[in-house]
Amino acid sequence: MSIFMSSNSNLQSVSAYSKIREDILASKFPPNHKLKVKELSGLYDIGVIPIREALSRLESEELVTHVGQTGFTVSQISKEDLRSLVETRILIESLALELSIKNFSNKWEEELVLAFHRLQRTDRVVEINGLRTINRNWITYHHSFHLTLINNSGLPWLNKFCSELLDHSTKYGVFITVEYPNFPRKSAKEHKDLYDCVLAKDSESSKNLLKQHYHTSIEHILKFLT
C-alpha cells in the first residue's frame, strides 16, 4: 500500500510540475505572480505536497523564486537578465547546432522537417472570446523546433542546458506577446532561413543566422521592457 501511495504521489508531483511550468511559460502566471500552494492545489486538483515538490523543482530551475515567508513567486524578468540569457544561448546553442549538423542523419532531418512545418503552419497569436492572445500550440511547436535544431549534438548534458535556457527565453517572449498581442514578433522568415541553411549542412551560416535571430528577438523584447 505504501509503495502504491508513494508512486501515486510521484505521479502527482510530475503532473503538477508539468502543469505549473506550462502555465508559467504561457504567461498565465506572469513574472512576479504569487504562486499560492492551496490555490494551485484547487486549480489542478492535486494535493498540496506534490504542488510544493513541483514548486521546489521549478525553483531549482530558476523559473520560480522562494521569497522568505511569503512563499513562491514566478521569477522576475529584467533587461540585464535577458541580455545575459540571450548571449549565453548564442554561445551554447551555436556549439550544439554545429555538432548536430556534423552528426547529420536521416532521422534528425525527418524530425527537423516535421518540427519546422508544424511551427510554420501555426499562428503565434489567436483570437479567443474576442481577445487576441498567445497561441499555446505555437509555444509548443516553437519550443520543439528550437530543441530539434540542437538535439542531435550527441551530448545530452549540452542539450539539457540548451533546453533550460530556452524555457527562460520563452518566458520573456511569451510575456511580451501576451502583454502586447497587437505587436507580435514576426519571425517566420528567420525560422525558414535558418531551417534551409541547416538542411544545406552549412554550419557557419546556420550559426550566424541563429545569432541574428536571437539578437532580433532581444531587440524586439527590449522595446517593451521598462
Side-chain angles (χ1 to χ4, degrees):
M1 181 67 175
S2 60
I3 295 176
F4 172 78
M5 291 177 64
S6 175
S7 175
N8 185 56
S9 177
N10 289 338
L11 289 173
Q12 285 199 334
S13 179
V14 170
S15 177
Y17 166 81
S18 178
K19 291 176 184 295
I20 298 170
R21 175 182 169 279
E22 179 182 340
D23 283 339
I24 289 173
L25 296 185
S27 211
K28 177 177 179 178
F29 303 140
N32 296 327
H33 179 85
K34 289 186 177 181
L35 298 166
K36 299 179 180 179
V37 173
K38 288 185 178 179
E39 288 184 1
L40 294 174
S41 176
L43 176 64
Y44 302 126
D45 192 24
I46 295 175
V48 295
I49 293 177
I51 292 291
R52 289 186 185 278
E53 291 173 347
L55 290 172
S56 294
R57 181 178 172 186
L58 289 163
E59 181 187 14
S60 72
E61 297 174 5
E62 298 188 25
L63 287 171
V64 163
T65 303
H66 188 260
V67 186
Q69 301 300 315
T70 62
F72 294 93
T73 63
V74 178
S75 298
Q76 299 181 21
I77 59 176
S78 69
K79 292 181 177 180
E80 294 74 20
D81 178 68
L82 177 62
R83 291 190 181 98
S84 174
L85 173 62
V86 171
E87 293 304 325
T88 303
R89 282 191 73 191
I90 290 170
L91 288 171
I92 292 180
E93 289 188 28
S94 291
L95 173 59
L97 180 60
E98 180 178 2
L99 290 171
S100 290
I101 294 173
K102 182 179 179 181
N103 298 331
F104 204 101
S105 66
N106 290 336
K107 181 177 181 294
W108 182 57
E109 181 179 16
E110 290 171 1
E111 292 171 352
L112 187 58
V113 169
L114 178 60
F116 172 74
H117 284 290
R118 280 176 172 169
L119 176 61
Q120 285 296 95
R121 68 175 183 235
T122 305
D123 292 330
R124 182 179 188 131
V125 174
V126 293
E127 189 168 305
I128 300 176
N129 297 325
L131 298 175
R132 286 166 58 80
T133 189
I134 190 77
N135 184 348
R136 286 206 177 201
N137 286 334
W138 183 90
I139 299 174
T140 299
Y141 296 147
H142 182 257
H143 199 276
S144 176
F145 173 70
H146 276 280
L147 282 186
T148 304
L149 284 171
I150 57 85
N151 71 3
N152 198 42
S153 71
L155 300 174
W157 276 103
L158 181 60
N159 297 347
K160 181 177 182 292
F161 294 146
C162 290
S163 178
E164 290 179 359
L165 292 170
L166 175 58
D167 283 348
H168 286 275
S169 293
T170 298
K171 186 177 69 173
Y172 276 89
V174 171
F175 173 69
I176 294 303
T177 303
V178 170
E179 291 293 302
Y180 304 95
N182 293 320
F183 301 96
R185 168 89 163 84
K186 294 182 174 67
S187 56
K189 185 178 184 305
E190 295 166 35
H191 289 138
K192 177 68 164 59
D193 291 344
L194 178 56
Y195 166 79
D196 287 341
C197 209
V198 170
L199 289 188
K201 304 179 184 178
D202 187 338
S203 181
E204 288 305 312
S205 295
S206 294
K207 289 190 292 182
N208 286 332
L209 286 172
L210 186 74
K211 180 178 181 179
Q212 293 171 21
H213 175 54
Y214 288 164
H215 279 162
T216 302
S217 293
I218 191 176
E219 291 305 317
H220 172 77
I221 294 171
L222 287 173
K223 289 187 294 186
F224 301 99
L225 282 183
T226 57

